[in-house]
Amino acid sequence: MKWVLVTLMVVATVLSDLLQSYEMKRAGEQSVGARGLLRLLGMIAQRKFLIFAILCMAVSFFSFMALVQTEPLSFAVPASAASFILETVLAKFVLKEKVGAKRAAGALIVLAGVVLLGE
Amino acid sequence: MAFSRGMHLRTYSVLLLFIALKAIGNLSLAWGMKHLPAAGANPLSYIRAMLDPFVALGVVSLIVALLTRMVLLSLADLSFVLPVTAVGYVIAAFLGKIVLHEVVTAERWMGTILIFIGAALVGSTGEKSK
């Protein structure tokens, strides 16, 4: 069950980041003043990807709550770093970004760490 | 990003505040959740769980931590913020062991340290700050 929760948490986090990044780039620069935040709220209500991103964020947080309820904190928090692996894979194969050797090595080291956590 | 001395002090103060808030938030959330009945798959159970004082303190601390991180990102580059905040994984393992009396095996320590190094390496590339 713990790996189901870790997977759910990581996939939901990465999906939320990806959707937010995609929609916010399309929306252009935003401000954090009162008017800017109201405009942002209005924009969230109109853009289904942003609504979905917020839903994903909620799923990720609820999964983390369930994970810390049943598993040690010393497992749950480090395991959340598995998002670096998925983000790197998606950056390379979906977003077609150039993934440097340092980033690839970092993601592989995180993967080895997550495997060891499960031992 | 070029820093003056005062800017350095402010950046490191905000950084310490973020790390502390994140650690307190995770710890309080874990402590509160472990004392509640299993929440299962019903989202309403999680919303109800937030009425527990420890869970509520955890959620509020994590929200303030998120806002503090945004302030931190306005003061420093993501390629600085990501590697230094990766220390949070090691702090969580320490808090689990010391406060929650969890058994942290040698493999788990090793895994946590590898995750810290790996996350710091991924973050230091600065490729996400585009």
Side-chain angles (χ1 to χ4, degrees):
Chain A
M1 188 61 188
K2 67 179 179 185
W3 292 112
V4 175
L5 287 172
V6 170
T7 307
L8 197 61
M9 174 175 69
V10 166
V11 171
T13 304
V14 173
L15 206 57
S16 172
D17 281 349
L18 216 65
L19 289 170
Q20 279 181 71
S21 165
Y22 172 74
E23 277 292 18
M24 294 315 288
K25 267 180 197 148
R26 277 182 54 196
E29 216 169 281
Q30 302 292 315
S31 67
V32 285
R35 197 174 287 177
L37 286 177
L38 273 178
R39 206 177 132 229
L40 190 65
L41 281 178
M43 196 178 73
I44 291 171
Q46 283 168 5
R47 294 184 186 238
K48 58 179 189 292
F49 279 164
L50 280 182
I51 297 173
F52 192 55
I54 290 169
L55 276 177
C56 286
M57 225 188 276
V59 169
S60 166
F61 191 67
F62 289 160
S63 310
F64 181 67
M65 283 171 84
L67 195 62
V68 292
Q69 185 168 45
T70 52
E71 297 300 325
L73 186 67
S74 54
F75 169 81
V77 175
S80 66
S83 59
F84 284 109
I85 306 162
L86 188 59
E87 271 175 11
T88 306
V89 171
L90 286 179
K92 167 102 181 135
F93 296 104
V94 179
L95 302 175
K96 310 278 181 204
E97 284 177 12
K98 200 176 159 216
V99 173
K102 206 169 158 189
R103 183 168 173 187
L108 280 175
I109 294 172
V110 171
L111 178 63
V114 174
V115 170
L116 270 177
L117 272 191
E119 290 291 306
Chain B
M1 211 176 266
F3 290 127
S4 68
R5 200 184 159 86
M7 194 73 169
H8 262 305
L9 194 68
R10 187 159 177 231
T11 305
Y12 283 101
S13 308
V14 176
L15 173 67
L16 280 180
L17 182 68
F18 167 72
I19 291 172
L21 281 167
K22 187 93 178 162
I24 293 166
N26 282 333
L27 183 65
S28 185
L29 187 75
W31 179 274
M33 286 305 289
K34 282 182 200 303
H35 290 87
L36 289 176
N42 184 359
L44 283 178
S45 324
Y46 293 96
I47 293 167
R48 259 197 304 273
M50 288 180 196
L51 297 175
D52 175 86
F54 284 104
V55 175
L57 174 67
V59 172
V60 171
S61 302
L62 290 175
I63 290 171
V64 181
L66 193 76
L67 296 174
T68 311
R69 189 175 182 269
M70 286 165 83
V71 175
L72 188 59
L73 283 171
S74 72
L75 297 169
D77 291 337
L78 189 67
S79 54
F80 166 78
V81 173
L82 271 182
V84 291
T85 53
V87 75
Y89 301 120
V90 183
I91 294 174
F94 266 111
L95 289 177
K97 182 169 174 58
I98 295 161
V99 184
L100 302 175
H101 306 293
E102 293 171 357
V103 178
V104 185
T105 58
E107 285 88 352
R108 189 160 288 172
W109 278 122
M110 197 64 176
T112 305
I113 289 165
L114 282 180
I115 287 170
F116 164 61
I117 297 169
L121 260 182
V122 172
S124 68
T125 56
E127 284 168 79
K128 292 166 125 190
S129 60
K130 278 191 290 194

